[in-house]
Amino acid sequence: MTSMRARFQGQGEIAFEKVTLGPVADGDVRLRVDVCALCGSDKRLLQSGSAVVPGHEIGGTLPDGTRGIVYIPVFCGTCVRCQAGRTNQCLNLSQLVGWQRDGGFAEHVDVPARCVIPVPDDIPLSVAVLALDTVGTAAHALRLALRTQDSVDRALVVGAGPLGLGVVAVAQAMGIAVDAFDPHAARLSTAVTFGATPAQSLDDENLYDMVVEVSGAAAARETAQRVVRPGGTIVALGESNEPYTMPATPRWRRTDCYTVRSFYFPMNEVDANWDLLRVMGAQLRDLIVEPLTLPQLPDAFERFVAGDYVKPCIVSEDAR
Ligand SMILES: [Zn+2]
Ligand SMILES: [Zn+2]
């Protein structure tokens, strides 16, 4: 059996190769990839090149017809954190799918069987794949942040890219009112379509109990640290190549608050995340997803980098 897959060669170059698939390794299962979303973090691999097939937001079908999405961290399943259902905190975390082992920009992908999350019958794969980085990561971060607060009047979301929009959607589904800020007008208006209020002046201090910083930009981090109220919580979700710093200012020294950092989501939150997607998943998909095919991957990245697409998804011919 042959299968097509993409290779990132660096400097923005994507090549395709057709390979003959061998037997499936012990402990692995082979999925036909039905959908694989592009993630902002893939842009780094596009520049640097990758030794493995990228793509880490994968939905597909097993040979027996079971539909599943792929949990990225290859957790051990036996350490104390895994045993407690906190698989994103695995003490023996070895690899991430699409980063250290082959991912989903391909017609097929082999993954550890324990990383396949079965999808409930009432949820289409095009929605289910959002349960990973977009909704799973957002929901887990908000759950951690809520543990620090007795109540939240209104949260600010800084950065309305795919994850920021996930945070906006999940926050509303959890009953948290949100303001949003993004210098990119089209992104901000998507957040507004989803029920966020455009943030007014962010020049003042002490404006919000909860600030979710999703952009990773230095200015966004600075804003978050300034507008958080004493007693409030900053959720540092944005990724950046720059270190996260705390200001050496009188204001910051005198601010009693939380800074919450989270990673992905634990397996024991999956059922709650399906419930969130039942409420807002189809609307979120319709607003942000751009369905494309595997041969269109180079163009998909070009337009993703240019900001034309919020969440391009490679969808197989079979799943169209
Ligand atoms: Zn991602
Ligand atoms: Zn473990």
Side-chain angles (χ1 to χ4, degrees):
M1 176 169 157
T2 61
S3 183
M4 191 69 84
R5 60 192 202 176
R7 303 306 301 230
F8 286 14
Q9 301 183 299
Q11 262 107 61
E13 286 298 314
I14 297 174
F16 293 94
E17 60 184 24
K18 194 157 214 152
V19 292
T20 301
L21 298 176
V24 180
D26 267 358
D28 281 6
V29 290
R30 181 163 293 158
L31 283 166
R32 182 190 75 207
V33 178
D34 293 318
V35 53
C36 186
L38 277 66
C39 176
S41 62
D42 291 325
K43 294 172 190 171
R44 295 207 304 270
L45 293 177
L46 194 62
Q47 274 318 306
S48 66
S50 173
V52 300
V53 177
H56 60 261
E57 299 185 32
I58 307 165
T61 308
L62 293 170
D64 70 0
T66 303
R67 299 174 317 133
I69 55 173
V70 176
Y71 191 79
I72 306 170
V74 180
F75 57 98
C76 75
T78 55
C79 74
V80 288
R81 304 311 290 150
C82 284
Q83 287 291 311
R86 300 255 157 202
T87 44
N88 60 327
Q89 298 171 359
C90 175
L91 301 175
N92 303 308
L93 184 62
S94 55
Q95 297 177 311
L96 303 178
V97 173
W99 292 89
Q100 285 82 33
R101 58 175 292 154
D102 286 342
F105 292 139
E107 290 176 324
H108 299 86
V109 63
D110 293 359
V111 298
R114 64 183 177 281
C115 289
V116 176
I117 303 172
V119 175
D121 289 342
D122 61 318
I123 300 181
L125 270 181
S126 60
V127 169
V129 78
L130 299 175
L132 300 169
D133 292 34
T134 308
V135 164
T137 298
H140 179 61
L142 288 173
R143 289 185 189 111
L144 276 190
L146 285 170
R147 284 162 66 176
T148 69
Q149 301 294 306
D150 296 328
S151 66
V152 174
D153 277 352
R154 183 164 278 275
L156 173 68
V157 178
V158 184
L163 180 56
L165 291 169
V167 171
V168 168
V170 170
Q172 313 257 352
M174 288 179 170
I176 306 168
V178 284
D179 287 358
F181 173 78
D182 195 300
H184 193 293
R187 287 181 166 202
L188 183 59
S189 81
T190 309
V192 170
T193 309
F194 229 93
T197 304
Q200 297 305 311
S201 170
L202 294 179
D203 298 333
D204 292 339
E205 298 174 345
N206 307 332
L207 299 174
Y208 294 93
D209 298 325
M210 186 187 290
V211 184
V212 189
E213 191 286 293
V214 199
S215 90
R221 290 171 169 176
E222 187 274 325
T223 299
Q225 288 165 333
R226 184 165 37 75
V227 301
V228 69
R229 278 183 190 143
T233 189
I234 295 170
V235 188
L237 265 184
E239 296 282 348
S240 162
N241 290 328
E242 297 303 315
Y244 188 97
T245 57
M246 293 200 178
T249 58
R251 143 79 186 165
W252 185 253
R253 288 186 194 113
R254 296 169 193 170
T255 300
D256 186 65
C257 72
Y258 298 88
T259 298
V260 171
R261 171 69 193 157
S262 70
F263 169 61
Y264 211 54
F265 61 91
M267 282 287 196
N268 66 7
E269 291 181 6
V270 165
D271 286 341
N273 293 342
W274 291 137
D275 284 341
L276 288 170
L277 280 167
R278 287 184 177 105
V279 174
M280 52 61 168
Q283 190 195 359
L284 185 62
R285 175 199 58 196
D286 294 347
L287 268 177
I288 69 174
V289 166
E290 186 71 36
L292 300 156
T293 62
L294 188 58
Q296 292 177 300
L297 190 62
D299 184 51
F301 265 105
E302 207 162 291
R303 299 196 52 184
F304 186 39
V305 170
D308 296 343
Y309 295 151
V310 180
K311 196 70 179 166
C313 284
I314 302 305
V315 180
S316 74
E317 299 294 345
D318 297 336
R320 280 183 161 245

